[in-house]
Amino acid sequence: MTPAVLFWSLAAAQIMLVAAMGCYAYRVVRGPRAQDRVLCLDALYVCAMLLALTVGIRTGSGVYFEAALIIAILGFASSVALAKFLMRGEVIE
Amino acid sequence: MSHAYDLPLWAAVLTALLVLIGAGLTLAGAIGTLRFKSFYERVHAPTLGTSWGTGAMVLASIVFFSALGTRAMVHEVLIAIFITVTTPVTLMLLARAALYRDRTEGSGDVPTKSDVRRSARSDATRVRGGTD
């Protein structure tokens, strides 16, 4: 009973997260302007991080937690760099 | 899922609920970005996933690994703190960049700088109640 509850809820959550990533990917590809693309890229990496957490719960290993932490940190840096690029036209002045 | 056989039922149900809440909120935010019309509306939608979407998922991970007893489990709080601190910074930078781009192009319905200054000045006069 216990593994079945976890298995199906994790499967549903992963499907929902992948659907969310699909929505964001659509905006990244079709987004009318550059700021829409950057915004949805930012949200896309958060979804990927949540997906890594669900995989960590599914496999029961702690490796995925570190992967999620690294994704969160690097995603923040890249989003700030892209936002700065939109503002100034260059990243490092 | 063989590791989950040692898990008590309450922990499994709590984990399942939290995981579903987190993923559902994230999906709602993603659909929001598809449905809103302008960028300034769209910038609000993904925060659903970065606030309680991440929060619920992190709580689920904490409950699961603590109940399983494989490791002592507050590492995940790091992720929650980090996402909570960085998301507003990113989105504010992005919204300012978008405002700047819209202003320099002179496009859309964004208020110009002189509009903002004028309304701030009239607010100040109203607060002081003066006529200067």
Side-chain angles (χ1 to χ4, degrees), chain A residues 13 27 33 35-36 58, chain B residues 3 19 33 42 101-102 105:
Chain A
R27 265 287 171 216
R33 307 205 56 205
Q35 49 261 40
D36 294 296
R58 180 183 286 272
Chain B
H3 59 283
V19 160
T33 49
R42 277 198 285 273
R101 281 163 66 92
D102 279 346
E105 283 173 13

Side-chain angles (χ1 to χ4, degrees), chain A residues 41-80:
Chain A
L41 206 61
D42 182 76
L44 197 63
Y45 86 74
V46 174
C47 280
M49 190 207 69
L50 294 182
L51 204 58
L53 278 183
T54 54
V55 173
I57 295 177
R58 180 183 286 272
T59 58
S61 88
V63 177
Y64 294 95
F65 159 74
E66 272 115 42
L69 198 58
I70 289 174
I71 292 175
I73 291 171
L74 289 185
F76 167 67
S78 68
S79 303
V80 167

Side-chain angles (χ1 to χ4, degrees), chain A residues 1-10 12-24 26-27 31-40 42-43 45-47 49-51 53-54 56-66 68-69 72-77 79-88, chain B residues 1 3-5 7-9 11-13 15-17 19-20 22-24 26-27 29-31 33-40 42-47 49-50 53-54 57-58 60-61 64-65 68 70-71 75-79 82-83 85-87 89-91 93-94 96-102 105 107:
Chain A
M1 165 78 190
T2 306
V5 169
L6 263 182
F7 179 82
W8 286 110
S9 66
L10 279 174
Q14 281 173 337
I15 289 171
M16 279 196 264
L17 283 175
V18 170
M21 288 176 83
C23 295
Y24 288 131
Y26 175 83
R27 265 287 171 216
R33 307 205 56 205
Q35 49 261 40
D36 294 296
R37 294 173 209 260
V38 177
L39 172 69
C40 288
D42 182 76
Y45 86 74
V46 174
C47 280
M49 190 207 69
L50 294 182
L51 204 58
L53 278 183
T54 54
I57 295 177
R58 180 183 286 272
T59 58
S61 88
V63 177
Y64 294 95
F65 159 74
E66 272 115 42
L69 198 58
I73 291 171
L74 289 185
F76 167 67
S79 303
V80 167
L82 281 171
K84 194 124 168 42
F85 178 75
L86 286 187
M87 187 84 175
R88 302 275 187 191
Chain B
M1 300 289 295
H3 59 283
Y5 282 105
L7 200 67
L9 183 62
V13 171
T15 308
L17 266 181
V19 160
L20 284 180
T26 311
L27 182 59
I31 294 172
T33 49
L34 285 188
R35 287 183 56 86
F36 280 133
K37 293 282 179 270
S38 79
F39 172 78
Y40 301 102
R42 277 198 285 273
V43 85
H44 295 90
T47 54
T50 54
T54 308
M57 203 68 88
V58 162
S61 189
F64 180 79
F65 283 110
L68 214 55
T70 49
R71 51 193 178 99
H75 292 83
E76 281 89 350
V77 175
L78 272 180
I79 293 183
F82 194 78
I83 291 287
V85 169
T86 56
T87 306
V89 176
T90 314
L91 293 188
L93 275 174
L94 203 56
R96 290 181 72 99
L99 192 60
Y100 171 76
R101 281 163 66 92
D102 279 346
E105 283 173 13
S107 68

